[in-house]
Amino acid sequence: QLVCVRDMASRTESSSSDWSGNWTPSESFCTKGDGVEGEGKIAHLRFHTVTAKDKVERYIAIVLDMKVAWRITFDKYGVPESLDPKQYATSPRMLSHDQLHEKVAVPASLLEKNLRDRLHPTVPGRFEFWALARSDARHFALNDEIRFQTEKDSFILKTFFHTTMGHFAKMEGGEVMSQMSKVSDHIDTKGHWEEEVEGVDPDEWED
């Protein structure tokens, strides 16, 4: 698995953006709504570095061909409400591609036009999300399928899990939600593929 990840790193392009103030996504981008949950297939992976006044933060930019997306809602106890696949056709929580774009599009200030032109609406149904470079997103590969939740209504991923092997295909919505609470962006302390990225000092990937 590590070999595959390192191979991915050696072939993945990189991009960057500058942020004039302090880098606090929770205040700048993750302030509206309750978030989005969805599923998609990875069409492209890229390293993205944000250079801000107070820090340099690194992400994996995950470009997905979306299969389905819906608004996250909570019950009266504050627990996320599941959505059974049987409800996809009728639930008012479901989001069209244009509705999803309004909620999670990466701001133009962070993404060059040539990269934005690879996404919805220019390429219908294709969206970009960011996960911290030190998270398990570094194990993703092209054509993997994932399920995710965002931080509020934003392009920043809060949780995600890998579904390529179909481990969750027969689960009901509640079971899937249970699995989501167990996985996502915990740090794997073994096999940092960042060491393989050309032109980047391994120490630069540490906090």
Side-chain angles (χ1 to χ4, degrees):
Q1 183 181 17
L2 182 58
V3 173
C4 176
V5 172
R6 285 178 171 172
D7 182 62
M8 181 200 80
S10 68
R11 292 183 288 106
T12 300
E13 67 176 306
S14 62
S15 58
S16 63
S17 53
D18 295 324
W19 187 254
S20 59
N22 291 338
W23 183 248
T24 52
S26 60
E27 297 177 7
S28 300
F29 312 113
C30 310
T31 61
K32 299 180 180 179
D34 291 320
V36 169
E37 184 170 350
E39 298 178 5
K41 186 175 183 178
I42 296 177
H44 194 75
L45 291 164
R46 190 180 75 255
F47 300 106
H48 189 87
T49 301
V50 177
T51 302
K53 182 179 180 181
D54 62 330
K55 68 171 68 173
V56 174
E57 191 69 274
R58 294 173 174 84
Y59 293 90
I60 305 297
I62 305 162
V63 178
L64 295 177
D65 286 329
M66 292 300 301
K67 291 186 173 183
V68 64
W70 60 91
R71 292 183 297 105
I72 294 174
T73 57
F74 298 87
D75 64 20
K76 61 181 180 181
Y77 302 107
V79 177
E81 296 179 310
S82 62
L83 188 65
D84 191 285
K86 296 177 182 178
Q87 299 174 284
Y88 288 172
T90 59
S91 174
R93 294 168 57 189
M94 300 303 295
L95 297 170
S96 68
H97 289 157
D98 288 342
Q99 291 171 329
L100 181 63
H101 183 260
E102 291 179 1
K103 292 179 177 292
V104 304
V106 182
S109 58
L110 294 176
L111 209 58
E112 295 180 358
K113 184 178 184 300
N114 68 309
L115 295 176
R116 298 199 307 272
D117 286 346
R118 301 180 186 181
L119 307 173
H120 188 88
T122 306
V123 180
R126 182 165 288 186
F127 292 84
E128 178 168 310
F129 299 91
W130 291 7
L132 288 171
R134 59 183 176 271
S135 74
D136 281 351
R138 66 188 188 276
H139 296 305
F140 285 153
L142 297 182
N143 298 316
D144 284 354
E145 296 180 11
I146 68 170
R147 185 160 178 165
F148 66 87
Q149 290 184 344
T150 63
E151 291 278 7
K152 299 291 187 178
D153 290 353
S154 77
F155 58 96
I156 303 292
L157 292 188
K158 179 180 180 180
T159 65
F160 50 82
F161 62 77
H162 184 233
T163 63
T164 293
M165 302 306 293
H167 298 307
F168 307 98
K170 297 182 180 179
M171 289 186 177
E172 295 297 327
E175 292 176 296
V176 170
M177 292 299 295
S178 176
Q179 290 297 318
M180 288 188 72
S181 68
K182 300 177 183 178
V183 293
S184 311
D185 53 351
H186 66 280
I187 299 175
D188 180 356
T189 58
K190 298 180 180 179
H192 293 287
W193 56 253
E194 299 91 305
E195 298 175 1
E196 300 296 317
V197 183
E198 183 177 356
V200 178
D201 188 322
D203 292 337
E204 293 184 19
W205 292 86
E206 301 298 330
D207 287 335

